[in-house]
Amino acid sequence: IKPNGLKQPNNFQDTDVAAQLKYTGMMETIRIRREGYALRIPFQQFVQRYRSLADVSRIPEDQHGCQRILKAAGLSDWLIGKTKVLLKWWHTDELATRLQKVEQAATCIQTGVRGFLARRKVAHMREVAHKQAKAAVMFLTQAEQLMEDAFQRQRHLAERDETAPPPVAAAAAEMTPDDAAAVQQVGDKMTDMHLQLDAETQVELKENLSSDEEIVEDDFTGPVSSKTRWGKEGTKAASVRWFRETQQSAVMQDSGTFAPWFHGIITRRESERLLTDRPLGCFLIRVSESRFGYSLTYRISNRCKHFMIDQLPSGKYVVVGEPKVHVSLAALVDYYKKNPLTGDLLTEPCGQVEGHEDYAELLVGNRFSLVRVEEEMQPYGTALHRDDSTPPPLPERNYTTLRDSGDQRDKHLHYQTLLQNQQRQSGVRAAPSTAAPPLPARSRRK
């Protein structure tokens, strides 16, 4: 379509354009299109768009819903197809106009309802504030009245106390000697009853303190003795001295032996080795080398558990991390045989191998253990049993220093003589000499 026959810009000639549209058949096509149903809208889309024009709130999204909307809108000359609504070109303008009116009406209704709700809420808040103010005024009035009554009552009592005679003097003036004796007798009886109750309370308190049924706070307090007198903590010698001086008499049974579950100073790995292939819950208690205390080890399904046992200043024992206090290690074992320790019960003790007891060095009187303890305690103080009258033993002879000298044989004989004299003085039988004689001096040939 050309706007003009001169091919000039901004020059639109209506007659020429209309003639071109008429000759090309466009005007006839437009007329036919307008006389037919130019708009074809699916049922669901039509209902969702023009739902507010219906006379009901809920309407199905099918052809019946479309018919109800079109009838409520007052339109005519429309058709309902199989899946779509067929409308004329002017139907959309009518529907848009009616939809705009409905939206304006809804806006007006919403404005009125929201205003009504807001005014009702404000009225309710004002009523509540008025009631609260009234209740506050009433409370303050009552409080003021009560304070005034209390002040008047207190002043009245003070005036009566100032004018009234002393109650003791009045009672004494009215009391006869017989009444005074009776009152004195009743007072003495009450005093005796109070003293008896106090004594029973003290006895019950002492029984509770001596029992291990519950935790006693005094068990965790008290003077802490000096632990340095046994040696440096964390050494085997110090642990042996601590056990001998403080634990041996308390741990041993009445028969003079240790319990089957008791073991000496063994390592953590050794205790786990002893519990290998043992039943679940098998346990042992060993003396700790790294500190002054004990360690509890017992077997579970796939490994062993270890717990530290400390002795409180009161002499009782407690598993570190547990609230229960026990008077002895045997009581501790009996308790955890019946009550689980972190979910597990102790079942049977892990005993000693006969002839290879690991607590032999803990016993006082064991000569071998005494010698070892004395040797280990040398850096930290005097030995346990030292006889100052016995001279120290001579060191081993080193023959390498005598090889270059000419009188090595005489010096060796002199050394043997001194060694025999010392052994004879100490009462030890001289052992036959097994040392080889010194090598002769090597002569060099010229």
Side-chain angles (χ1 to χ4, degrees), residues 3 55 156 258 327 329 363 412 436:
D55 52 357
H156 175 70
F258 289 110
V327 295
L329 291 178
L363 300 176
H412 174 67

Side-chain angles (χ1 to χ4, degrees), residues 243 251 257-266 270-271 273-275 278 282-287 348-363:
F243 180 83
V251 174
T257 60
F258 289 110
W261 40 259
F262 181 79
H263 287 254
I265 302 177
I266 59 176
E270 179 66 17
S271 63
R273 187 190 65 80
L274 293 175
L275 293 174
R278 291 299 184 99
C282 186
F283 67 97
L284 60 88
I285 295 179
R286 53 191 172 90
V287 180
E348 64 178 44
C350 177
Q352 299 277 349
V353 179
E354 186 175 359
H356 299 82
E357 291 81 1
D358 52 24
Y359 52 72
E361 60 184 351
L362 300 177
L363 300 176

Side-chain angles (χ1 to χ4, degrees), residues 12 29 31 36 50 57 61 75 85 92 98 105 135 157 161 170 231 243 376 419:
F12 186 83
T29 302
R31 184 185 65 81
Y50 302 106
S57 58
E61 296 180 353
L75 299 180
V85 180
T92 55
R98 296 179 181 274
L157 292 175
D161 292 341
F243 180 83
E376 295 180 2
L419 182 61

Side-chain angles (χ1 to χ4, degrees), residues 201-211:
T201 303
Q202 293 293 333
V203 172
E204 183 178 359
L205 181 59
K206 291 180 180 179
E207 292 177 355
N208 292 335
L209 288 175
S210 61
S211 175

Side-chain angles (χ1 to χ4, degrees), residues 60 82 85 94 159 206 224 319 322 359 429 439 444:
K82 189 175 182 180
V85 180
E94 292 288 338
E159 293 177 355
K206 291 180 180 179
V224 180
V319 177
E322 295 291 325
Y359 52 72
R429 185 177 180 181
L439 295 175
R444 300 181 180 180

Side-chain angles (χ1 to χ4, degrees), residues 111-388:
T111 303
V113 171
R114 289 177 180 176
F116 169 76
L117 294 176
R119 287 190 294 271
R120 187 173 66 176
K121 183 178 179 181
V122 171
H124 176 70
M125 293 174 62
R126 287 179 178 176
E127 183 179 359
V128 171
H130 179 70
K131 290 182 179 179
Q132 291 178 353
K134 186 176 180 181
V137 171
M138 186 180 299
F139 172 77
L140 294 176
T141 304
Q142 293 179 357
E144 185 179 1
Q145 183 65 30
L146 291 174
M147 291 175 63
E148 182 67 23
D149 295 343
F151 176 74
Q152 295 294 338
R153 190 180 299 108
Q154 186 176 5
R155 187 174 63 178
H156 175 70
L157 292 175
E159 293 177 355
R160 190 182 65 178
D161 292 341
E162 291 178 357
T163 57
V168 177
E174 297 176 358
M175 188 178 298
T176 61
D178 295 337
D179 295 337
V183 170
Q184 183 66 27
Q185 185 177 2
V186 172
D188 295 340
K189 288 183 178 180
M190 294 296 294
T191 303
D192 296 339
M193 290 177 62
H194 284 297
L195 293 176
Q196 184 178 1
L197 290 175
D198 291 341
E200 293 177 357
T201 303
Q202 293 293 333
V203 172
E204 183 178 359
L205 181 59
K206 291 180 180 179
E207 292 177 355
N208 292 335
L209 288 175
S210 61
S211 175
D212 63 337
E213 291 299 324
E214 298 294 339
I215 298 176
V216 182
E217 294 296 333
D218 294 341
D219 291 336
F220 295 93
T221 59
V224 180
S225 60
S226 176
K227 297 182 179 180
T228 57
R229 68 174 185 271
W230 300 307
K232 184 178 179 181
E233 186 175 6
T235 60
K236 191 172 185 178
S239 297
V240 172
R241 292 197 63 185
W242 168 78
F243 180 83
R244 289 178 177 178
E245 295 182 13
T246 63
Q247 301 295 311
Q248 184 169 355
S249 59
V251 174
M252 294 189 69
Q253 298 178 343
D254 297 336
S255 60
T257 60
F258 289 110
W261 40 259
F262 181 79
H263 287 254
I265 302 177
I266 59 176
T267 61
R268 178 189 181 113
R269 183 174 297 178
E270 179 66 17
S271 63
E272 293 179 352
R273 187 190 65 80
L274 293 175
L275 293 174
T276 304
D277 300 331
R278 291 299 184 99
L280 299 180
C282 186
F283 67 97
L284 60 88
I285 295 179
R286 53 191 172 90
V287 180
S288 177
E289 182 179 357
S290 60
R291 59 188 181 83
F292 297 130
Y294 300 92
S295 296
L296 169 63
T297 304
Y298 65 89
R299 179 173 175 78
I300 57 175
S301 59
N302 56 353
R303 60 186 180 90
C304 292
K305 284 187 176 181
H306 305 269
F307 292 88
M308 294 188 297
I309 301 176
D310 284 346
Q311 187 179 27
L312 303 177
S314 62
K316 298 182 181 180
Y317 299 90
V318 61
V319 177
V320 177
E322 295 291 325
K324 185 67 177 178
V325 178
H326 310 273
V327 295
S328 63
L329 291 178
L332 183 146
V333 170
D334 294 339
Y335 176 80
Y336 287 113
K337 282 184 176 180
K338 302 176 182 179
N339 302 275
L341 177 61
T342 65
D344 303 298
L345 291 174
L346 304 181
T347 56
E348 64 178 44
C350 177
Q352 299 277 349
V353 179
E354 186 175 359
H356 299 82
E357 291 81 1
D358 52 24
Y359 52 72
E361 60 184 351
L362 300 177
L363 300 176
V364 177
N366 190 330
R367 182 175 178 276
F368 174 72
S369 64
L370 280 174
V371 172
R372 290 190 60 187
V373 171
E374 289 181 2
E375 292 177 354
E376 295 180 2
M377 285 297 295
Q378 285 298 331
Y380 308 109
T382 59
L384 294 179
H385 302 281
R386 174 183 290 177
D387 189 2
D388 295 336

